[in-house]
Amino acid sequence: MKTNKTPMRRCVGCMESKPKDQLIRIACYEGQVKLDPTGKAKGRGAYLCPSESCLKKAVKKRALERSLSVKIDEDEMETLLEELRAYER
Ligand SMILES: [Zn+2]
Protein backbone atom coordinates (compact mmCIF):
# COMPACT_ATOMS: atom_id res chain seq x y z
CA MET A 1 0.00 0.00 0.00
CA LYS A 2 1.21 3.42 -0.88
CA THR A 3 1.40 5.61 2.18
CA ASN A 4 3.06 8.70 0.75
CA LYS A 5 0.28 9.66 -1.58
CA THR A 6 0.01 13.37 -2.24
CA PRO A 7 -2.89 14.75 -0.24
CA MET A 8 -5.74 16.31 -2.14
CA ARG A 9 -6.75 19.91 -1.62
CA ARG A 10 -9.61 21.88 -3.04
CA CYS A 11 -9.10 25.02 -5.04
CA VAL A 12 -11.17 27.82 -3.53
CA GLY A 13 -11.73 29.23 -7.02
CA CYS A 14 -13.04 26.39 -9.17
CA MET A 15 -13.73 24.04 -6.22
CA GLU A 16 -11.93 21.15 -7.90
CA SER A 17 -9.91 18.76 -5.80
CA LYS A 18 -6.36 18.32 -6.99
CA PRO A 19 -3.12 16.96 -5.57
CA LYS A 20 -1.65 19.50 -3.20
CA ASP A 21 1.50 19.91 -5.27
CA GLN A 22 -0.50 21.14 -8.24
CA LEU A 23 -2.04 23.92 -6.24
CA ILE A 24 -0.54 26.99 -4.72
CA ARG A 25 -1.12 27.95 -1.13
CA ILE A 26 -2.22 31.39 -0.08
CA ALA A 27 -1.42 32.16 3.50
CA CYS A 28 -2.82 34.72 5.83
CA TYR A 29 -0.84 35.66 8.87
CA GLU A 30 -1.57 38.65 11.08
CA GLY A 31 -3.89 40.11 8.47
CA GLN A 32 -1.33 39.87 5.68
CA VAL A 33 -2.35 37.81 2.68
CA LYS A 34 0.39 36.43 0.51
CA LEU A 35 1.30 33.69 -1.84
CA ASP A 36 3.00 30.80 -0.14
CA PRO A 37 4.70 28.70 -2.82
CA THR A 38 6.53 26.61 -0.22
CA GLY A 39 3.29 25.74 1.57
CA LYS A 40 5.05 26.32 4.87
CA ALA A 41 4.16 29.87 5.81
CA LYS A 42 2.55 30.54 9.15
CA GLY A 43 -1.11 31.21 9.50
CA ARG A 44 -4.26 30.04 7.82
CA GLY A 45 -4.00 28.75 4.32
CA ALA A 46 -6.19 28.31 1.29
CA TYR A 47 -5.34 26.48 -1.89
CA LEU A 48 -5.72 27.72 -5.41
CA CYS A 49 -4.86 26.55 -8.92
CA PRO A 50 -1.98 28.60 -10.27
CA SER A 51 -4.30 30.45 -12.57
CA GLU A 52 -5.53 33.99 -12.74
CA SER A 53 -9.10 32.90 -13.40
CA CYS A 54 -9.25 30.80 -10.23
CA LEU A 55 -7.92 33.64 -8.12
CA LYS A 56 -10.46 36.02 -9.61
CA LYS A 57 -13.26 33.54 -9.01
CA ALA A 58 -12.15 32.97 -5.44
CA VAL A 59 -12.06 36.69 -4.73
CA LYS A 60 -15.30 37.44 -6.52
CA LYS A 61 -17.34 34.94 -4.57
CA ARG A 62 -15.42 35.80 -1.40
CA ALA A 63 -14.31 32.20 -1.01
CA LEU A 64 -10.78 33.31 -0.32
CA GLU A 65 -11.86 35.78 2.32
CA ARG A 66 -14.01 33.14 3.96
CA SER A 67 -11.27 30.51 3.99
CA LEU A 68 -8.76 32.92 5.44
CA SER A 69 -11.17 34.95 7.61
CA VAL A 70 -9.77 38.16 6.27
CA LYS A 71 -10.78 41.07 4.10
CA ILE A 72 -8.95 41.33 0.81
CA ASP A 73 -8.94 44.72 -0.85
CA GLU A 74 -8.24 45.61 -4.48
CA ASP A 75 -4.58 46.35 -3.86
CA GLU A 76 -3.99 43.05 -2.13
CA MET A 77 -5.74 41.20 -4.87
CA GLU A 78 -3.60 42.94 -7.47
CA THR A 79 -0.47 41.94 -5.58
CA LEU A 80 -1.65 38.36 -5.39
CA LEU A 81 -2.43 38.37 -9.09
CA GLU A 82 1.02 39.67 -9.94
CA GLU A 83 2.69 37.04 -7.80
CA LEU A 84 0.46 34.30 -9.14
CA ARG A 85 1.37 35.09 -12.72
CA ALA A 86 4.89 33.84 -12.02
CA TYR A 87 3.48 30.40 -11.25
CA GLU A 88 0.83 30.24 -13.90
CA ARG A 89 1.11 27.22 -16.16
ZN1 LIG B 1 -9.02 26.24 -9.54
Side-chain angles (χ1 to χ4, degrees):
M1 201 169 76
K2 235 178 148 187
T3 50
N4 61 345
K5 202 166 155 267
T6 308
M8 302 290 277
R9 289 290 181 271
R10 195 158 64 162
C11 167
V12 290
C14 62
M15 306 308 280
E16 267 181 55
S17 287
K18 297 188 178 183
K20 203 177 153 197
D21 57 10
Q22 287 179 23
L23 298 171
I24 196 148
R25 187 173 183 257
I26 293 178
C28 173
Y29 184 63
E30 293 182 336
Q32 284 273 87
V33 182
K34 58 179 183 180
L35 230 60
D36 171 26
T38 64
K40 293 188 174 87
K42 276 189 200 172
R44 296 178 75 105
Y47 289 85
L48 203 68
C49 306
S51 101
E52 200 175 316
S53 67
C54 282
L55 176 62
K56 283 185 173 161
K57 263 187 237 170
V59 171
K60 198 172 168 195
K61 60 187 183 183
R62 308 215 169 271
L64 195 56
E65 293 185 328
R66 270 202 306 274
S67 319
L68 300 173
S69 315
V70 74
K71 280 255 165 272
I72 298 169
D73 63 29
E74 289 275 301
D75 283 357
E76 280 169 322
M77 185 182 142
E78 277 302 314
T79 309
L80 286 174
L81 266 177
E82 298 246 307
E83 288 179 40
L84 193 76
R85 281 191 190 114
Y87 297 93
E88 207 162 8
R89 279 171 276 191

